[in-house]
Amino acid sequence: MAQNMMLYWGSGSPPCWRVMIALEEKMLQGYKHKLLSFEKNEHKCEEVKALNPRAQVPTFKHGDIVVNESFAACLYLESAFKSQGTRLIPDDPTEQAFVYQRVFETNNLQQKMYEVAFYEHYVPEGERHESVLKRNKESLVAELKLWDGYLEKMGKGSYLAGKSFTMADVVCFPVIAYFPRLHCPREHCPRLMEYYEMLKDRPSIKASWPPHWLEKPEGPDMLKNL
């Protein structure tokens, strides 16, 4: 089954990483894949554009089915292989709602992290303002405090949506992994860092760990002065 799948991806991309974690959790090892370089703009190649007009990764194909948005690809894999591997979406509607809430809240955390860590990348030099970066940092600290509160309320050893590993963890862990890598002060998110330590050696996460992170475990200190 997995041999009929193709994933185009980039190392360190949270959207790509979450799809790879989902594939591992659903026991779909052996899928075809192609690692593309962001620095060389390989994700904008014709091979990708033929499947994804946005020329973005992840670009995922299963047989004749193409699913390009990472949340959609993860949810597709859970639906198509519901009885295989880890159950990522519970049956109970109340539990489902909680998982979906955390899944889509991940967008907030990811965007606020990008706005601080990659501010100089996305904003041209002449348009940068210290006051804007300061506001971005304050917003990110508040977001981290919110997520820390979620874990605090659920108790030690909890996953993002309860006592079981779910789609919320698949989707959000790749974002959370950036905080220790970019030297975010632990005092801003002690519970998230406990959660990170709990999950970083999970087989699906280790198997899909970004290759360039393995080569260079220490990332730049973009969040050091948060």
Side-chain angles (χ1 to χ4, degrees):
M1 186 68 70
Q3 289 79 10
N4 201 24
M5 296 178 176
M6 180 67 183
L7 176 68
Y8 296 88
W9 62 289
S11 180
S13 157
C16 295
W17 193 359
R18 64 177 59 117
V19 175
M20 297 172 82
I21 293 173
L23 285 162
E24 291 289 332
E25 291 287 342
K26 301 311 290 184
M27 304 299 291
L28 293 166
Q29 295 89 350
Y31 60 90
K32 297 175 184 176
H33 63 93
K34 189 169 185 177
L35 174 59
L36 302 173
S37 167
F38 291 118
E39 291 181 358
K40 298 177 182 177
N41 276 327
E42 290 178 348
H43 56 296
K44 298 188 181 296
C45 66
E46 293 304 316
E47 193 175 347
V48 170
K49 286 182 180 178
L51 299 173
N52 186 343
R54 295 184 188 277
Q56 296 174 341
V57 289
T59 290
F60 177 71
K61 188 172 186 290
H62 177 207
D64 295 326
I65 299 169
V66 177
V67 191
N68 291 320
E69 293 297 325
S70 64
F71 286 9
C74 289
L75 291 170
Y76 166 76
L77 290 169
E78 173 63 13
S79 177
F81 301 95
K82 189 174 183 179
S83 61
Q84 183 170 312
T86 306
R87 188 69 177 277
L88 298 172
I89 302 290
D91 282 331
D92 180 78
T94 302
E95 294 177 4
Q96 272 188 21
F98 193 29
V99 170
Y100 288 139
Q101 173 69 26
R102 293 291 177 265
V103 164
F104 288 98
E105 270 190 290
T106 298
N107 276 328
N108 296 321
L109 182 61
Q110 179 173 313
Q111 183 60 34
K112 291 178 188 300
M113 184 268 287
Y114 281 2
E115 287 172 354
V116 175
F118 305 114
Y119 180 74
E120 293 185 0
H121 175 76
Y122 289 117
V123 181
E125 185 174 1
E127 299 175 19
R128 297 172 195 162
H129 299 281
E130 282 300 317
S131 59
V132 174
L133 182 57
K134 183 175 183 290
R135 285 198 302 272
N136 290 351
K137 288 181 177 181
E138 290 170 350
S139 183
L140 177 55
V141 169
E143 186 72 17
L144 288 170
K145 184 177 180 180
L146 183 66
W147 283 86
D148 240 40
Y150 291 157
L151 288 170
E152 179 73 26
K153 185 176 180 180
M154 288 188 291
K156 195 172 181 65
S158 175
Y159 295 96
L160 291 179
K163 297 302 180 185
S164 299
F165 183 92
T166 67
M167 187 65 76
D169 304 290
V170 170
V171 163
C172 199
F173 179 85
V175 177
I176 293 171
Y178 264 86
F179 290 94
R181 178 169 176 79
L182 300 184
H183 304 274
C184 176
R186 188 181 179 90
E187 59 265 27
H188 288 314
C189 50
R191 297 293 174 266
L192 276 178
M193 291 304 93
E194 288 177 7
Y195 167 84
Y196 167 81
E197 292 295 334
M198 181 177 77
L199 257 69
K200 66 183 178 66
D201 291 324
R202 187 177 176 90
S204 64
I205 290 171
K206 286 188 71 175
S208 55
W209 201 262
H212 80 281
W213 289 20
L214 291 173
E215 295 170 4
K216 190 177 181 182
E218 287 288 318
D221 59 358
M222 292 173 170
L223 297 176
K224 182 180 179 180
N225 296 319
L226 192 62

